[in-house]
Amino acid sequence: MIDLGPHAIFIISSYVGAFLVTAIMIAWVWTNSKNQQARLDDLQRMGIYRRSDKNTPDIAEETK
Amino acid sequence: MNANKMPSTNKPKNWFSALAHPGVFLGWSRHFIRPLIFLTLISFAIGLWFAFFNSPPDYQMGETVRIMYIHVPNAWLAQMVYSIMAISAIGSLVWRHPLADVAMKAAAPLGAAFTAIALFTGALWGRPTWGTYWEWDGRMTSTLVLFLMYLGLVALWNTFSDQSKGARIIAVFTLVGAINIPIIKFSVEWWNALHQPSIISTQGLSMPAEIYTPLLIMTLAFSLLFFTLHLVNMRAEIFRRRANTLERQHVIENAQASAANNGKGENK
């Protein structure tokens, strides 16, 4: 590791603070995404679909 | 049926509408997430290696110049994310596009986080270089206002149960708040500020390539991180809206079914 000089505490604190905020942001986005996806999958597993989807063939291929 | 493969029944009219249609968006966007994660990680690895092991100390600031490699990218993103929200607000108000609402909502908490990092690292950079953590000058104050605006918009989104109605009001607030972006940008030129002027000007770069290179790579890394998280957050918001719609629809259908059953019972 390089010598960060007399102001090392400011440099390290900046990187640690930025890392923590970034890690919390990533964790929140990822958890929220998984939760919403699981919620929607659960509803569809229970047979609950949008009205517009009920009488149409599965056209999932077009959304791929 | 997996939520990733949601069907879309309303056929979009042109290629732009096709790409921006929420159902179609869910289809194509999932292919971009893994490559974006990979590019983000590679960019951070290279950028951090440059920042700590392959860049010299500044002749004036010394080693504290390394704070710049995280401060400037986050300050840039703080403004860019708000600009994206303002463009989405126009899309929401003018074309009433549901994906514009989604983009606007998904970006707000990310913008708040990047602005928080910019303020925090700026304060820590200011202490050894200026002798103070904080000064109420134009750049710092307008960036703090930007952070408060982000928090306000996140809170505002959470107050509306009907997101499409809320989106119109929030879009207006977002556009009004966009006046702060040029204020942040030009504050160091308009007012006598402690904050240094832009590193890129019409005279070219105001720093050597050895310092500019890690800065550029770290800016790319943080920008890629934003695009990855924004995409994931937009998808989550579409899933959330669809799940809410399905739950409401299920409650209505159950109520109609029980009302019909009661009607039959009374007729007997």
Side-chain angles (χ1 to χ4, degrees):
Chain A
M1 188 67 186
I2 56 164
D3 177 18
L4 294 173
H7 301 303
I9 186 70
F10 294 101
I11 302 166
I12 293 165
S13 302
S14 297
Y15 277 83
V16 169
F19 173 79
L20 284 177
V21 174
T22 307
I24 291 168
M25 176 170 64
I26 292 169
W28 173 76
V29 167
W30 214 253
T31 310
N32 181 41
S33 171
K34 292 292 165 202
N35 287 346
Q36 299 307 332
Q37 204 166 334
R39 196 175 147 220
L40 192 53
D41 285 341
D42 284 348
L43 285 163
Q44 292 180 341
R45 216 172 288 124
M46 286 161 62
I48 305 165
Y49 289 93
R50 290 191 303 172
R51 283 195 192 99
S52 55
D53 296 339
K54 277 184 175 171
N55 301 319
T56 56
D58 189 343
I59 51 169
E61 287 302 315
E62 83 174 46
T63 66
K64 280 184 180 173
Chain B
M1 189 190 305
N2 188 289
N4 266 321
K5 297 174 182 175
M6 292 294 289
S8 66
T9 49
N10 301 324
K11 296 264 184 182
K13 293 179 188 74
N14 56 46
W15 68 270
F16 180 73
S17 300
L19 282 177
H21 183 275
V24 180
F25 170 81
L26 285 179
W28 65 259
S29 62
R30 69 194 168 105
H31 299 295
F32 282 81
I33 294 170
R34 281 188 183 170
L36 275 171
I37 292 171
F38 176 74
L39 287 173
T40 305
L41 290 174
I42 292 285
S43 307
F44 269 116
I46 298 171
L48 287 170
W49 180 75
F50 265 103
F52 281 101
F53 302 106
N54 201 20
S55 64
D58 183 70
Y59 77 106
Q60 277 183 321
M61 291 184 280
E63 297 290 347
T64 57
V65 73
R66 297 182 204 285
I67 298 175
M68 181 178 71
Y69 304 138
I70 45 171
H71 171 72
V72 172
N74 281 285
W76 141 257
L77 274 172
Q79 295 169 61
M80 190 193 79
V81 172
Y82 201 93
S83 303
I84 288 173
M85 283 169 55
I87 293 166
S88 302
I90 294 170
S92 180
L93 285 172
V94 178
W95 294 287
R96 306 214 158 189
H97 204 293
L99 203 64
D101 300 353
V102 169
M104 196 166 46
K105 185 180 177 185
L110 306 180
F114 290 123
T115 314
I117 296 174
L119 288 167
F120 175 71
T121 54
L124 286 171
W125 195 16
R127 184 71 184 88
T129 49
W130 300 332
T132 179
Y133 287 106
W134 185 260
E135 184 70 36
W136 291 99
D137 81 344
R139 174 63 65 87
M140 284 181 260
T141 309
S142 54
T143 305
L144 179 64
V145 169
L146 180 67
F147 178 62
L148 296 175
M149 275 165 30
Y150 273 126
L151 294 185
L153 289 171
V154 171
L156 207 53
W157 274 112
N158 291 325
T159 58
F160 288 97
S161 54
D162 184 344
Q163 298 282 282
S164 57
K165 270 185 189 169
R168 309 276 169 270
I169 298 162
I170 295 167
V172 173
F173 275 111
T174 305
L175 281 176
V176 171
I179 192 69
N180 194 35
I181 299 302
I183 293 174
I184 296 173
K185 169 81 181 139
F186 296 110
S187 57
V188 286
E189 292 167 29
W190 291 341
W191 300 299
N192 192 14
L194 192 59
H195 202 284
Q196 65 267 39
S198 176
I199 54 170
I200 304 170
S201 66
T202 47
Q203 279 86 41
L205 289 171
S206 60
M207 61 175 64
E210 306 87 72
I211 290 179
Y212 188 66
T213 304
L215 178 61
L216 205 64
I217 298 169
M218 287 297 280
T219 304
L220 176 72
F222 274 106
S223 301
L224 284 169
L225 175 67
F226 164 69
F227 288 122
T228 309
L229 294 178
H230 193 215
L231 211 57
V232 174
N233 221 13
M234 282 177 70
R235 291 170 59 80
E237 178 58 21
I238 295 172
F239 290 147
R240 199 185 66 79
R241 289 182 183 198
R242 289 193 169 182
N244 285 351
T245 306
L246 288 182
E247 281 173 357
R248 272 199 300 272
Q249 182 187 306
H250 185 56
V251 169
I252 292 166
E253 282 174 354
N254 279 351
Q256 284 172 342
S258 57
N261 283 340
N262 287 343
K264 277 180 195 169
E266 282 168 16
N267 288 337
K268 281 177 187 174

